[in-house]
């Protein structure tokens, strides 16, 4: 069963397990940090050199051409924790300070190829994203918030797993924040099951101008779906609000707005969430189906060469969970390993080395 909030719909039970965590507990732990050994780093650097010597385009890197015999089994275990455990991990120690942006991009894409297939992150077909302040504002309906220095608010991306590689940090702010959507569900179930029920009904979310022929300019997927015994969330409040600019989008009722407000209040509750500083060389992986992520606003350095810069991948692991059919409206298909991303006809997937 997908997300149906009709009268016959029964709320899922309260959900236990490693994905139902609380932020203060997680902040005290460090089992989610995997520090690379010198031998593993050397293996990555050898693969970088081979890739650059062959002249392989970043977008064409595949796991067979980026051998990591020592690190690959460890990556498989980390991915298991992300998909079936706590929902996130940080791989620490990549020596980005001694790499060019191209070398960092090759390393990131190569490591990513051992985790899943890269998916397009925007209407330009970018398989490699650059998270930088481009001096834009989210008040422009064609702008996505990662292109600004604004706080993002808690949201999911349109893929199974998002990866971030930190190259440079901001002068202040720009922390990564995480919260479990499973825990939000459990808390709403205890406090206001009447409001929780509304979030299992389809809700319009703005595509922000990245619309393929035949698509509506918004998609209709419930915030929560219960499918094959798994709770899956998809959420971006600003884009839910901005979808109301379309006359044919279903309207936000006062009751649904109250439900979204409670969802946001729980996501923003320090009893549920926690923040972390991503250091240069940290590679963070986040499971979009069980977590929401956020980034605090930031003040950047005035010098262009010092400004905050992260690389991003949207990944489709072959071992990803089953998704309800309604997710095809956003993910293109629900087939693991080939789903997610923003696919527009005629756009060739590419991996720009500089932010564009």
């Amino acid at each position: 069963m997908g997300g149906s909030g009709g009268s016959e719909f029964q709320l899922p039970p309260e959900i236990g397990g490693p994905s139902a965590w609380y932020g203060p507990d997680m902040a005290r732990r460090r089992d989610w940090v995997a520090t690379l050994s010198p031998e593993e780093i050397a293996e990555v650097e050898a693969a970088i050199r081979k890739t650059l010597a062959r002249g392989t385009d970043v977008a064409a890197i595949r796991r067979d051409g980026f051998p990591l015999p020592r690190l690959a089994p460890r990556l498989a275990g980390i991915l298991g924790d992300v998909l079936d455990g706590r929902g996130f991990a940080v791989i620490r120690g990549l020596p980005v300070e001694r790499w060019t942006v191209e070398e960092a991009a090759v390393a990131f894409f190569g490591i990513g190829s051992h985790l899943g297939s890269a998916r397009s992150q925007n209407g330009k077909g970018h398989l490699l994203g650059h998270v930088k302040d481009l001096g834009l504002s989210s008040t422009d309906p064609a702008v996505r918030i990662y292109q600004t220095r604004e706080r993002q608010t808690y949201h999911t991306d349109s893929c199974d797993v998002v990866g971030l590689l930190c190259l440079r940090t901001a002068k202040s702010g720009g922390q990564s924040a995480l919260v479990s959507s499973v825990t939000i569900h459990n808390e709403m179930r205890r406090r206001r099951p009447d409001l929780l029920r509304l979030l299992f009904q389809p809700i319009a979310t703005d595509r922000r101008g990245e619309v393929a022929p035949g698509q509506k300019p918004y998609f209709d997927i419930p915030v929560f779906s219960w499918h094959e015994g798994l709770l899956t969330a998809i959420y971006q409040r600003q884009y839910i609000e901005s979808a109301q600019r379309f006359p044919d989008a279903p309207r936000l009722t006062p009751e649904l707005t109250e439900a979204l407000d409670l969802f946001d209040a729980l996501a923003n509750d320090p009893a549920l969430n926690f923040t972390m500083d991503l250091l240069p060389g940290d590679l963070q992986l986040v499971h979009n189906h069980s977590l929401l992520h956020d980034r605090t606003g930031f003040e950047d350095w005035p010098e262009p060469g010092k400004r905050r810069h992260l690389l991003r991948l949207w990944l489709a692991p072959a071992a990803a969970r089953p998704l309800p059919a309604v997710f095809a409206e956003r993910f293109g298909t629900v087939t693991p390993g080939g789903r997610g991303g923003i696919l527009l006809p005629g756009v060739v997937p590419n991996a720009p080395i500089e932010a564009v």
Side-chain angles (χ1 to χ4, degrees), residues 317-340:
R321 67 169 57 186
L323 290 178
V326 70
F327 267 76
E329 195 175 321
R330 181 57 169 168
F331 280 52
T333 174
V334 293
T335 303
R339 68 191 186 194

Side-chain angles (χ1 to χ4, degrees), residues 40-59:
E40 289 166 335
I41 293 169
E43 192 172 77
V44 171
E45 295 196 308
I48 294 172
R49 289 191 296 271
K50 290 177 184 175
T51 301
L52 292 174
R54 286 194 304 266
T56 305
D57 181 75
V58 172

Side-chain angles (χ1 to χ4, degrees), residues 1-343:
M1 151 179 76
S4 170
S7 58
E8 78 290 347
F9 175 69
Q10 297 296 313
L11 284 175
E14 187 165 316
I15 298 162
S19 63
W21 50 259
Y22 287 80
D25 296 332
M26 197 57 76
R28 285 190 286 269
R29 292 164 47 180
R30 279 297 175 270
D31 56 344
W32 43 266
V33 177
T35 301
L36 295 178
S37 69
E39 294 79 11
E40 289 166 335
I41 293 169
E43 192 172 77
V44 171
E45 295 196 308
I48 294 172
R49 289 191 296 271
K50 290 177 184 175
T51 301
L52 292 174
R54 286 194 304 266
T56 305
D57 181 75
V58 172
I61 294 171
R62 300 293 182 267
R63 63 183 298 165
D64 289 348
F66 201 88
L68 299 173
R70 181 189 297 267
L71 182 56
R74 192 175 180 199
L75 291 175
I78 292 167
L79 181 63
D81 288 337
V82 171
L83 295 178
D84 303 316
R86 77 182 80 84
F88 73 99
V90 172
I91 299 169
R92 177 157 288 167
L94 290 169
V96 297
E97 70 284 346
R98 70 177 183 233
W99 292 348
T100 64
V101 174
E102 183 180 24
E103 288 169 333
V106 168
F108 187 33
F109 209 96
I111 291 170
S113 71
H114 287 264
L115 301 169
S117 67
R119 311 301 294 170
S120 170
Q121 300 173 33
N122 55 30
K124 298 176 182 178
H126 291 171
L127 301 179
L128 181 69
H130 294 263
V131 182
K132 296 181 76 172
D133 176 20
L134 301 181
L136 303 174
S137 168
S138 65
T139 57
D140 179 343
V143 166
R144 306 254 295 282
I145 296 170
Y146 73 87
Q147 300 167 314
T148 76
R149 59 184 175 87
E150 302 165 25
R151 184 199 163 182
Q152 288 192 307
T153 75
Y154 285 99
H155 67 284
T156 61
D157 290 341
S158 296
C159 62
D160 297 311
V161 173
V162 57
L164 289 172
L165 174 61
C166 180
L167 301 182
R168 293 191 301 270
T169 57
K171 184 177 181 182
S172 64
Q175 283 188 309
S176 173
L178 299 175
V179 69
S180 165
S181 50
V182 176
T183 302
I184 293 174
H185 163 271
N186 290 345
E187 290 289 340
M188 287 191 75
R189 196 181 192 285
R190 294 170 197 161
R191 303 179 194 197
R192 292 294 304 272
D194 57 318
L195 296 181
L196 174 62
R197 175 181 294 272
L198 302 178
L199 299 186
F200 283 87
Q201 298 176 357
I203 189 167
T205 299
D206 193 351
R207 294 186 190 272
R208 303 296 279 184
E210 295 170 327
V211 187
Q215 285 183 334
K216 295 178 296 187
Y218 57 88
F219 57 87
D220 281 301
I221 302 177
V223 172
F224 284 123
S225 295
W226 180 245
H227 180 68
E228 297 192 19
L230 293 167
L231 182 79
T232 296
I234 185 169
Y235 190 73
Q236 171 56 279
R237 179 67 182 270
Q238 292 101 319
Y239 301 168
I240 291 172
E241 300 278 0
S242 67
Q244 295 294 292
R245 65 195 170 108
F246 303 113
D248 62 335
R251 297 296 95 182
L252 291 176
T253 64
E255 295 79 13
L256 183 51
T257 299
E258 187 180 4
L260 295 171
D261 287 346
L262 178 55
F263 185 101
D264 285 341
L266 289 166
N268 286 295
D269 186 344
L272 272 68
N273 65 42
F274 84 111
T275 60
M276 66 176 77
D277 288 305
L278 291 181
L279 309 173
D282 280 357
L283 195 170
Q284 182 194 61
L285 299 169
V286 174
H287 190 214
N288 281 300
H289 305 320
S290 62
L291 301 191
L292 301 118
H293 59 279
D294 188 7
R295 181 204 69 212
T296 63
F298 63 89
E299 178 189 357
D300 223 339
W301 300 95
E303 303 91 339
K306 293 178 65 175
R307 290 179 186 162
R308 184 181 190 271
H309 189 183
L310 288 85
L311 301 180
R312 184 174 64 188
L313 289 172
W314 281 7
L315 296 168
R321 67 169 57 186
L323 290 178
V326 70
F327 267 76
E329 195 175 321
R330 181 57 169 168
F331 280 52
T333 174
V334 293
T335 303
R339 68 191 186 194
I342 297 164
L343 308 171

